[in-house]
Structures are given as C-alpha cells and as structure tokens.
Amino acid sequence: MESAIRILLVDDELDFVETTAKRLSRRGHACKTALTCAEGLPVLESGWPQVVVLDVMLPDRDGLEFLKEIKEKWPSLPVILLTGHASVQAGLHSLQCGAADYCLKPIDLETLVEKIAIAHRENLARQA
Amino acid sequence: MTAFLAKIAEFFGSRPGKTAAPPRAFRDYYRNFRTLLTANNNALELMAELEEAAVSGRPFGVAFIRGHCTALIVNVYKMVSNLRELSAGKYQNLQPAFLAVTRKIEELLAKQPAVPQGEYILPLSRVDRHAADLVGEKMANLGEIRNRVGLPVPEGFVITAAATHRFMAGSALRDEINRRLKTLDADNLEELYQASAAIQQKISSAPLPEEIACRIREHYQTLNGALVAMRSSAIGEDRDNVTFAGQYRTQLNVSEEFLEQTYKEIVASKYKSQAIVYRLQRGFRHQDVVMCVGCLAMVDAVVSGVSYSRSPSDPRSNWLEINAAAGLANTVVDGTAATDHYRVSRQDPHPILDATIARQKGTEATGQRGSLSAAQCADLARIALRLESHFGSPQDIEWSIDRAGRIVILQSRPLARETALSGPEAPGQPGEGELCAGGVTASRGAAAGQVRIVRSSLDLLRFPQGAVLVVAHPLPEWATLLPRAAAVLSETGQIAAHLATVAREFGIPAIFGLEGITRNLADGQEITVDATACRIHAGKNEELLRQAATDRPNLMLGSPVAKLLRQLMELITPLNLTNPASPYFQASACRTLHDLTRFCHEKAVVEMFSFGEKHGRKDKAAKQLVGETPYTWWVINLDDGFRETFSAKERFIPIDQIVSLPMLAIWEGMNAMPWAGPPPVSLRGFGSILFHSTMNPSIDPAVRSSMNARNYFLISKNFCNLSVRLGYHFALVEANLGEYLLENYVSFQFKGGAADETRRLLRVELITGILREFGFRVEQRMDAMSARIEKRPVPYLSARLKILGYLLIHTRQIDMVMGEEEMAARYREKIMGDLQTLLQKSEKEGDGGERHQDTAC
C-alpha cells in the first residue's frame, strides 16, 4: 500500500478526532490533531502535514475561512473538508477555495483513508 | 442564495481559459481526466442510491436526501471544472446549465412549509374542518363535529399553530433544535433518547411569550374554572392512513396554574423519541408537523371508549365495533385497561351481535352486559354512522359518557386502512410445539425472533435488532422500538391501543392480552409469533413464516419526504442526452445532473481521444494492435498503458507490449473461448453486415463521429475505455482497476441495431440478465442498456471485464442466429457455462482472491 502520510485532523468533535487518529495511525499514517484552528495553526506552520482534514464548523473560526488562509499560505497543501452539516453552498464554496474534497459525516474510515491517499497522490503528481 | 450563485458564476467566468495559459503537459490533462472519472464514479453511485431509496420504501430522512444531493452536486461540479481545464474552456454553456440545475435543487431543499398565519387562540365554537391548517386535524374535526354535525363535544379552545410558531421562533429554540436533529443518528437509541430529552427540556423551560400566555388565561376564563384536558393536535397528523397514534402528550385534569407549563410540555412532546422515530419511518420532516394544543373541559366520564364505524378487518362489514371501559378514554387507548368489546349491527335498531366482556359489571336487573347498555350501544352506533356519513369514510371515534348519560365526542378520525384484523378469536389450548395460545390479534402476520422482555427504559436501550418485544402493557412509548422489533407481545391491551395502531401501520405482527407472557417467556428464547392465529411457537417455524410472508408496507409512500425526493429526482436522474451524435447533445441541453455527468464524461473522453491528433503528438496517436484477431483494433496510450521499452514512434503494437490491466482483462475475455455455437454465418455475409454498418454510420447514431467505425482502446495502466463498433452494435466498456476502491469501476453500454425489434430486445434482455447475475447494476431502455459496478477490488472487476470481453465477441454472433425466446434461453445457458469456465480458468492462473470475490456477488 501507500507509504505513510502525515495528516493533520482539525475537528472539535473529540470522540471523532481521537478514534479517527487512532485508526489512521494503525494504518501506518502519522496523525496530529487539533480541536480548534488556533491549535492547528502552529502544526501547519511547522510544515509537518502533507494532508489536512478540516471540519467546517469549528468553535474559534469558520472552517471555510481557515481553509482560505491555509490555501493562501500553503497553496499546494491538500485540504479535505469534512462536515456533519451538508450544504451545497459550503461544498461548492470550499472546492472553489481550493479544497481537495468536501465530504460528509458520517464517513466510513476506509473511504476517508482513500480520499486522503488520492489527494496526496494528486498533489505529488502536480509537484512532479 | 442568489448572491452566492452569482459568486459561483463569477468564479466560472473569471478564470482564464486555456488559451491564455501556458501549454500544459499531457500528464496534467490526464490528471484532470482521472479526477473527472472518479467524480463521475461517485456521482453515478450517489444517483443509484437515491433511486434505490425512492423505490425501496425503506425509511430515509431529509438528512439523507440533503447529504446525497450535496455530495452529488460537489462531484458534478468537479466534473464540470475538470472538463473546463481539459477542454480549454470550450463548453461555455456548461456552467450556466450546471448553475441552473443546482439553483433549482437548492430551492427545493431550502423550501420551508408556510408560516402559519392567524390568531393565537381560537374557541372551539369558531373551528371547523377548514381551520385544519391553524388548529391541527384533531381539533379541526372536533370543531366540525360541534358546529357542523351538531354532536356534543367538550367546551374549550385551541392554542393554534400561529402561537406555537411564535413561541418556537421567538426564543431561537427552532434553530437550536434543528441543529441537534440534523446530525442525530436515530438508529442509536441512546443518542436518540438523550437528544429527545434535551430538546423537550429546552422547550419546556423556555419562556412563553406574554402575548400568548395572557390570551390563554383570558380564554380559560370562559370555562368557569373547570379542569381541562390538554390534547395535542398536530398539523400533518391524521392525514390519510398516517395516524401518529399516541405519540404526543395528552394531559388530563389540568388546573389554571399549570396551563402554560402543560402547553409547553405538549409542544415539546413533538420531540418524544417515538415521535421522532415515527416521523422518520413515515417520511415526515420535523417541520412538517406543527403542534397545536386543544384545551377542553374535562368530561366527568362514567364509561369511555373507542368505536370503529366499520370493522377494521372488513371494510364492508355490516357491523361496527365498540371497545369500552369504565372511566376515562385514555385507559382504552394506552392499553392499560381490560376492555369490553361489542360488535353492533349497522342496521337500525342496531342490536348487539356479539359481546366479549372483560369483567361483569352490569346487573341482571338492567340486562346490561359489561360497561354499556344495549341502548347506549345503539346510540353510539347512530353517532358513528352520522360521523361516517359526514366525513365520508369509516371513522375511528373516541368518546365518553358523562354522569348525565350524555355521549360526548372527544375525537373522530378516519379509520386506518391497513387495520386488517379479525376480532378476538378463541384459540383454545396450545397445540404441539406451541408455547402459548390466546390473546387478541393486534396486528396480523407472523415473525420469528429472540424474546426480549422490556420493563424499563434501560431494557429499551439494549433492545436488539430483530427481537420480539415482550411487555406488560402496550404503552405508546414502546413504539420507538417498533422499527427494530420482529413482533410485539403484551400482557394487556387490545386492538384500539395506540401501539397496536402503529404496529399495524408498520406491518409488525402483535398479540395483546396474553396474560403472564412476561413471566412465561425468557430473554433470548427463540420463538415464532403467529399473530393472525394468536399462537406462539417454540423456535423458528419456517413453514409458518413462509406462509405469512408479505411485503412490508411502503411507509414512505406519499409522505412529504418522499414527495421532496421525487421532485428532486426530476432534476437529478432523467437522462436527456443519450445520443452523442445528435445535434441536441449540447451543454445547453443539460437539464439534470445526470445529463451533466453524461455530457462531461463524453466530452472528456473525446478530448483525450483527439489529443494526439489535435496537438500533432505521434506518441499520443493511435497504434494498431497486431495479433491474431479478425478485427482491427486501435490503441491510444493516455499515460502508462504501454511497456516502457515500447517505442512511441511505432505504428503497430503487439499485445504483449500492453500493460493496461483492464484492457488485458477484456482481451482475455474476448479470446478465451472459440465460437462454438451453431454454424456461423458465412464470413461473407458477416462481412457484408460490417460493410453496411461502416458505410451507414447513421444506422446507429450512438457513435462518436471521430471514432466512427473503428475499435479503439484508450488506455493507461489502470484505465481502459474501449469503444467497439462491430456489425451494427455499438458498445462501450470503460474501467478503472487501481489501488483505491473510490476510483474503481466497470461500466458497459450497449446498443444494437441491424435486426428486427424483437431480436434486438431479446439480445439486450439476454445480456441484461447475465450481467445482473454477475452483480452489475443494469438499466435497460428499449434496445439500449447500460451496466455498471463501482468501488470493488481489482480481481472482482477484472473478472467482470473478462465477461464483457466474452460477451462483446459472442453476442455479436448470436445476433445473427438468434430469433426466438427458446433460442435465447439456450444461448443463455451456453454463455453462462462458458463464463463459469472462463472465470475458473483465470482463477487457476493465479488471479488471487477471485473465488472469494465471486461467491460474494
């Protein structure tokens, strides 16, 4: 299978973040988590993540605003939006802002893993 | 929303087209292409899931619809924007078409029921059927009975939907509740109970706007300080065959100081767990139900009961049925009281035909048997017939008889249609293999499962899927468990209990009135419940289950949610762009999301196909395949479909230089089996058919003009798009076989001409049948079909490609010999035999995991 990907999960749903991180690690990926944008920012600034999975509704900031900031500072970093509140507008908006994907919870872990891997692969291909 | 869509439009317009951008590497195009295909894969799967939901009758909520529509639009958007990249912005009309469809879908999803307009309170004297949108069905009917039929009902007033709307909107309750419900997983009982309790608590403790509170007090004064019964009367309730039985709160004996609090609690009872579950099962959105509350002076009842103006089991019966018990009516409908059952003739003077008395209460002197006298039964019968004739359908009537002997109507509603029941039977002693016999059929049918006795809400949380629910009383709150219960058994209760009504609606067998059943059965014990015959068998009685097998009713049918889905589907699935050669195959003609996917896919393939030609790239031009095959095949390499050692300058390529997994699988299927049918049509004859078709591209319009009359493989290592035109047939196979299931699929389109219609249909039906057998989702329209499987592992899909390869070669020949159904059946057998051999062969050759995958289909 694919080699390890360094993933940053930003989501305020503690249960979800913890189990997802655990299961991603079990598959050989490296995972860091943040419950708020403020927590996520230093991880991003360290240049560590290769893929970001970002919730749309976060306590400190609007996830879409955060997405814009990420894409501004790190244009090539793939960001996958993940939300429990399906919205056509948010979906289209995030793709326009450069999100790699817009997915809905509940998401099956297998699917999320593949989406992350595909986003990562596309990004590598673009750089090549 | 308009502003938002304008922003998207701007986005589409503002990006520079390809002409202004620097030349891009072919790989970039290929990446766009691949992303487009994956989005197509997702979109088609989502559409199939929506279609499935629309016909299956399985319950789904708005969250499901909204989620699927959102995901669909996101994926179609990806297709549109990738085609834009791929084609250098060629299809200008695509974006407006996409925006138009998206806007319509958004509007449907955002549509809210109209805000109720009117007074906060209406006295019953001013209510009739036409007020249903303001006071709910229940109170509207009661007002109608008082004011139009002229029968006694309790005095009182209704707190209207306008008041509830004001209350909920005013305290921002609604937004918070919606947020909570949107993400609720109703299958998780614990989560459901928590959410239900939290929401009810929020509503009950929210302040009631003073303008409502003072009006309630004002109207209460007209009742001269009487105690009142406060009853829910929901809008959306009691519609055709949707009962909402017993879900909401009714509070009896409310005094003045508790009016406000009780009102809030009844409004909150809309979010009782059983009500949330019921709405989901029946396809109601939460906003489709608005709670109104009736405040009715208490009736000092001596006897109360429920009448059915016809027998629920036989709508043509010439008798009516009355259930009665001493005291208030609630003991009858919540199933706690033992009731007397009367069967009364519909003919004047309405004699009692049959009576089953729970406890002898009357005296010899009056000749009364049970709680009702013969005269009272006759009066009730007259009332029932009057109400039936006024409302125009058999009625289910709740009533009380007060101390003055006056019959007061508390409620009348249409008798639920699916209440197919027989009256109480006398099953006698349990026979062999039977654990128990007795009780009454509350809902017909038979089912098997493990016993689960539920006494408390804690038991309720642990109730497993498919168990038999065993309870002491058929309390309305147990209805939360009905969607997961196989059957219901209760010690008390009868057919008029709310739980029985809901069980009948859901098609779940139930026997009530089984004394001692919670003690006689043990948790985990497997039983078969034969509710029709009122018998319980030990173990799983297959014979009985087979006999009783009926389809579960489609509970979603005609519901607001089903209606919403149907409206949305009009914008999603119909395919108007079927023929790429037609002048109407244009971006501006895309009316649905399916059209958009079809258009984008088609044009993307054409772009990839013509890249070599357009850009004068020899390495991307078609190579002719050399090998032992009677037909000419051309191959275009999109990325890494050829061996690295193969020189791109060559004009011919041998099959062993090809590394495209899907192409090799198709090729193997094509060449695996020699044609062994009846004498083949002479080569000359066959040639002439070929000749005809190549000379006459108009015969079959479903063909790309630039690929006319040639057989092309567009390939990469994981991808293959094969367009075949052999004889009069046009076929298209496309597949991706890669590491990620999300990207994997096999799709097949087939259209055949050159034969009379019967033959063409036979052939397509033959192929359809075979492909279904191998797990394809097939859609057939006349003599054209499309089949698809997605998100499966490589060995599974590879086997399907071999099957398609085989079919491409062999059905083409069948066409020339097949004339009638009998022949078709014979060929089907032969083909299935060949395919089995083919799959076994490739298994032996080491396509690991194939056997396992095949048994799974």
Side-chain angles (χ1 to χ4, degrees):
Chain A
M1 274 294 264
E2 74 277 0
S3 53
I5 303 170
R6 298 191 301 271
I7 304 158
L8 171 63
L9 284 177
V10 189
D11 195 317
D12 64 332
E13 216 182 298
L14 189 62
D15 279 359
F16 173 79
V17 167
E18 278 179 352
T19 44
T20 310
K22 205 184 289 166
R23 292 162 77 186
L24 286 172
S25 317
R26 220 176 286 149
R27 271 153 211 267
H29 298 302
C31 214
K32 289 191 181 178
T33 62
L35 296 176
T36 59
C37 299
E39 263 180 58
L41 206 54
V43 185
L44 285 160
E45 270 158 1
S46 73
W48 182 83
Q50 291 173 309
V51 176
V52 180
V53 177
L54 177 64
D55 189 7
V56 175
M57 284 202 202
L58 288 159
D60 56 340
R61 277 180 76 183
D62 176 6
L64 288 180
E65 290 305 312
F66 194 44
L67 166 72
K68 277 187 206 155
E69 185 184 332
I70 297 174
K71 294 310 281 189
E72 227 160 75
K73 291 185 177 160
W74 302 278
S76 68
L77 181 61
V79 181
I80 295 172
L81 272 289
L82 187 56
T83 176
H85 301 262
S87 148
V88 173
Q89 303 194 10
L92 294 182
H93 194 61
S94 47
L95 289 188
Q96 282 167 27
C97 295
D101 214 331
Y102 176 86
C103 315
L104 301 175
K105 284 184 199 168
I107 190 167
D108 154 60
L109 185 79
E110 214 51 62
T111 306
L112 182 61
V113 168
E114 289 204 351
K115 292 209 181 236
I116 292 170
I118 290 170
H120 182 56
R121 181 194 68 194
E122 293 302 305
N123 189 41
L124 291 182
R126 239 190 321 271
Q127 317 277 304
Chain B
M1 182 167 62
T2 324
F4 164 74
L5 287 167
K7 229 188 315 172
I8 305 185
E10 196 180 287
F11 164 77
F12 277 130
S14 67
R15 303 273 308 259
K18 173 68 186 73
T19 39
R24 302 159 67 210
F26 182 73
R27 285 225 156 157
D28 285 345
Y29 289 100
Y30 180 61
R31 250 201 355 262
N32 284 135
F33 182 59
R34 196 165 55 181
T35 306
L36 184 146
L37 292 177
T38 304
N40 187 49
N41 206 27
N42 287 328
L44 293 179
E45 189 193 35
L46 289 161
M47 283 185 220
E49 285 171 7
L50 281 171
E51 277 187 319
E52 217 271 319
V55 299
S56 73
R58 249 184 307 106
F60 54 87
V62 178
F64 168 86
I65 298 179
R66 180 183 299 279
H68 270 66
C69 286
T70 305
L72 242 173
I73 288 174
V74 161
N75 279 291
V76 175
Y77 175 83
K78 282 191 198 169
M79 293 184 76
V80 170
S81 48
N82 277 287
L83 178 61
R84 181 190 160 84
E85 299 286 325
L86 204 58
S87 67
K90 198 192 280 174
Y91 306 102
Q92 291 292 331
N93 293 327
L94 198 52
Q95 290 84 349
F98 170 77
L99 289 175
V101 179
T102 303
R103 185 178 298 126
K104 285 185 199 151
I105 291 175
E106 273 265 75
E107 276 165 10
L108 280 176
L109 283 174
K111 208 163 162 187
Q112 291 292 327
V115 173
Q117 302 286 341
E119 292 172 57
Y120 291 154
I121 308 247
L122 279 179
L124 218 47
S125 58
R126 284 175 49 208
V127 169
D128 63 14
R129 247 198 299 192
H130 304 294
D133 284 347
L134 200 56
V135 299
E137 305 279 332
K138 202 188 280 179
M139 289 303 136
N141 280 1
L142 204 58
E144 180 84 8
I145 292 166
R146 179 190 190 277
N147 303 316
R148 301 272 172 270
V149 186
L151 287 169
V153 304
E155 282 309 310
F157 57 91
V158 189
I159 310 171
T160 68
T164 309
H165 183 81
R166 168 76 186 82
F167 170 44
M168 299 293 285
S171 40
L173 274 170
R174 189 176 0 234
D175 293 344
E176 202 173 333
I177 291 167
N178 285 344
R179 219 172 8 253
R180 184 122 203 190
L181 287 174
K182 229 171 161 181
T183 50
L184 173 70
D185 172 14
D187 285 336
N188 181 339
L189 284 180
E190 202 168 331
E191 202 184 314
L192 172 68
Y193 283 106
Q194 273 171 13
S196 162
I199 291 171
Q200 291 188 69
Q201 169 61 31
K202 273 225 153 60
I203 298 173
S204 304
S205 58
L208 188 65
E210 184 50 30
E211 68 252 49
I212 297 174
C214 75
R215 303 235 50 213
I216 292 177
R217 286 193 297 271
E218 210 175 288
H219 279 268
Y220 177 75
Q221 298 315 316
T222 63
L223 299 179
N224 303 320
L227 293 176
V228 294
M230 293 183 81
R231 295 176 181 275
S232 66
S233 172
I235 290 174
E237 203 184 50
D238 283 350
R239 294 244 168 101
D240 194 23
N241 209 34
V242 181
T243 63
F244 288 85
Q247 290 170 20
Y248 311 130
R249 198 162 155 165
T250 291
Q251 186 67 52
L252 304 178
N253 297 315
V254 183
S255 60
E256 182 170 11
E257 65 264 42
F258 293 108
L259 285 173
E260 279 180 37
Q261 190 53 34
T262 309
Y263 166 68
K264 289 192 286 186
E265 280 167 16
I266 292 175
V267 170
S269 74
K270 175 180 160 186
Y271 297 99
K272 275 187 176 182
S273 56
Q274 70 255 39
I276 295 175
V277 167
Y278 183 89
R279 284 196 288 270
L280 188 66
Q281 294 286 319
R282 301 293 323 243
F284 280 78
R285 294 168 295 183
H286 300 297
Q287 71 260 34
D288 291 322
V289 173
V290 183
M291 197 64 88
C292 313
V293 178
C295 297
L296 307 170
M298 286 297 298
V299 177
D300 190 6
V302 180
V303 188
S304 298
V306 174
S307 314
Y308 299 149
S309 68
R310 299 256 183 191
S311 162
S313 63
D314 179 3
R316 282 169 303 183
S317 69
N318 56 2
W319 68 87
L320 44 85
E321 302 202 353
I322 301 173
N323 290 284
L328 297 168
N330 63 317
T331 58
V332 177
V333 293
D334 71 11
T336 49
T339 57
D340 301 333
H341 175 90
Y342 300 88
R343 201 173 259 198
V344 179
S345 171
R346 284 170 59 90
Q347 308 301 325
D348 201 56
H350 309 292
I352 297 173
L353 304 175
D354 185 40
T356 313
I357 304 306
R359 259 171 259 123
Q360 188 63 40
K361 282 175 238 99
T363 59
E364 293 295 323
T366 58
Q368 177 170 342
R369 292 188 55 218
S371 39
L372 293 176
S373 70
Q376 284 170 324
C377 281
D379 284 344
L380 283 166
R382 277 182 208 105
I383 286 172
L385 294 181
R386 244 173 102 184
L387 290 172
E388 180 184 292
S389 123
H390 183 83
F391 288 110
S393 69
Q395 297 289 300
D396 167 343
I397 304 150
E398 253 178 65
W399 47 264
S400 285
I401 300 179
D402 68 12
R403 293 213 180 270
R406 198 174 61 131
I407 299 173
V408 181
I409 310 299
L410 304 174
Q411 189 183 154
S412 184
R413 62 180 174 198
L415 188 59
R417 255 188 289 123
E418 274 168 44
T419 45
L421 281 177
S422 57
E425 288 171 21
Q429 291 306 304
E432 202 182 322
E434 290 176 14
L435 296 170
C436 169
V440 295
T441 304
S443 173
R444 277 169 174 271
Q450 291 193 344
V451 169
R452 183 57 71 112
I453 299 161
V454 172
R455 293 191 179 87
S456 65
S457 17
L458 206 64
D459 295 340
L460 201 138
L461 285 182
R462 298 199 194 105
F463 191 83
Q465 189 75 36
V468 174
L469 174 64
V470 181
V471 295
H473 304 292
L475 302 178
E477 46 263 47
W478 302 139
T480 312
L481 295 178
L482 283 185
R484 54 176 64 202
V488 187
L489 303 175
S490 172
E491 301 224 350
T492 64
Q494 30 62 48
I495 62 167
H498 286 318
L499 192 70
T501 308
V502 183
R504 290 195 290 271
E505 246 178 280
F506 287 8
I508 292 162
I511 309 175
F512 289 179
L514 288 164
E515 226 179 292
I517 196 71
T518 55
R519 278 168 284 124
N520 298 341
L521 295 177
D523 271 351
Q525 186 180 358
E526 178 149 59
I527 58 168
T528 302
V529 175
D530 179 359
T532 312
C534 287
R535 279 160 199 277
I536 298 167
H537 302 253
K540 192 170 178 183
N541 189 327
E542 300 282 359
E543 177 59 29
L544 234 165
L545 293 173
R546 219 179 3 261
Q547 280 172 16
T550 48
D551 292 336
R552 278 271 176 109
N554 183 343
L555 297 172
M556 298 291 291
L557 214 62
S559 69
V561 173
K563 208 151 92 194
L564 174 67
L565 179 59
R566 212 174 49 236
Q567 289 172 331
L568 286 164
M569 292 297 268
E570 288 294 304
L571 298 167
I572 295 173
T573 47
L575 187 59
N576 305 303
L577 303 192
T578 50
N579 177 3
S582 153
Y584 298 106
F585 197 92
Q586 287 190 4
S588 57
C590 291
R591 302 267 173 271
T592 65
L593 293 180
H594 200 175
D595 286 339
L596 287 159
T597 61
R598 178 80 180 86
F599 183 85
C600 291
H601 177 269
E602 176 67 26
K603 294 303 179 194
V605 173
V606 170
E607 289 294 328
M608 295 311 285
F609 174 82
S610 58
F611 183 88
E613 221 170 274
K614 231 170 37 192
H615 297 265
R617 291 272 300 270
K618 284 240 165 51
D619 61 327
K620 297 298 169 207
K623 317 286 177 201
Q624 194 180 335
L625 196 64
V626 280
E628 275 191 38
T629 147
Y631 310 107
T632 311
W633 304 93
W634 299 84
V635 190
I636 296 175
N637 186 17
L638 295 179
D639 189 26
D640 45 5
F642 294 167
R643 270 189 207 290
E644 278 175 20
T645 49
F646 178 76
S647 160
K649 293 187 186 67
E650 297 285 344
R651 292 192 46 226
F652 296 93
I653 184 165
I655 187 79
D656 64 10
Q657 291 299 302
I658 285 170
V659 292
S660 169
L661 284 175
M663 173 171 170
L664 291 174
I666 297 170
W667 195 251
E668 192 187 323
M670 283 177 162
N671 296 293
M673 220 64 74
W675 173 249
V681 178
S682 78
L683 257 184
R684 227 183 127 169
F686 190 74
S688 88
I689 291 182
L690 261 181
F691 176 74
H692 260 290
S693 61
T694 52
M695 295 304 289
N696 262 316
S698 59
I699 283 176
D700 182 349
V703 63
R704 293 187 183 106
S705 51
S706 55
M707 299 178 179
N708 217 347
R710 277 187 173 188
N711 304 315
Y712 280 101
F713 286 100
L714 268 70
I715 60 166
S716 72
K717 183 163 178 292
N718 303 118
F719 174 78
C720 173
N721 171 296
L722 165 65
S723 54
V724 189
R725 194 179 163 77
L726 290 173
Y728 287 89
H729 306 136
F730 173 75
L732 196 74
V733 184
E734 192 178 276
N736 193 76
L737 270 56
E739 188 182 353
Y740 304 116
L741 295 186
L742 280 179
E743 296 180 324
N744 283 358
Y745 64 93
V746 169
S747 93
F748 178 58
Q749 287 169 49
F750 179 87
K751 184 166 165 54
D756 58 79
E757 205 180 314
T758 326
R759 277 189 199 217
R760 286 208 305 263
L761 284 177
L762 272 177
R763 178 182 49 212
V764 169
E765 271 161 21
L766 177 80
I767 300 175
T768 299
I770 291 169
L771 292 183
R772 286 220 169 101
E773 200 134 324
F774 285 100
F776 280 90
R777 194 172 72 235
V778 189
E779 251 174 71
Q780 185 187 335
R781 201 188 304 180
M782 303 299 287
D783 65 341
M785 61 151 292
S786 67
R788 202 176 164 91
I789 301 186
E790 59 260 301
K791 302 188 179 174
R792 297 298 197 113
V794 172
Y796 181 92
L797 293 180
S798 170
R800 267 76 205 152
L801 282 173
K802 287 172 197 165
I803 291 166
L804 291 178
Y806 172 96
L807 289 176
L808 279 177
I809 294 295
H810 292 263
T811 52
R812 173 178 55 77
Q813 290 165 321
I814 283 171
D815 189 35
M816 282 168 238
V817 289
M818 188 169 78
E820 57 218 59
E821 264 174 64
E822 200 183 311
M823 288 268 253
R826 228 173 57 215
Y827 283 118
R828 185 172 198 283
E829 221 165 276
K830 146 109 181 88
I831 290 171
M832 288 306 285
D834 275 1
L835 291 178
Q836 294 301 344
T837 322
L838 174 68
L839 294 184
Q840 276 159 16
K841 202 170 106 196
S842 51
E843 251 175 73
K844 273 193 209 113
E845 283 163 9
D847 259 339
E850 189 122 45
R851 186 187 297 277
H852 170 71
Q853 289 301 333
D854 279 334
T855 49
C857 71

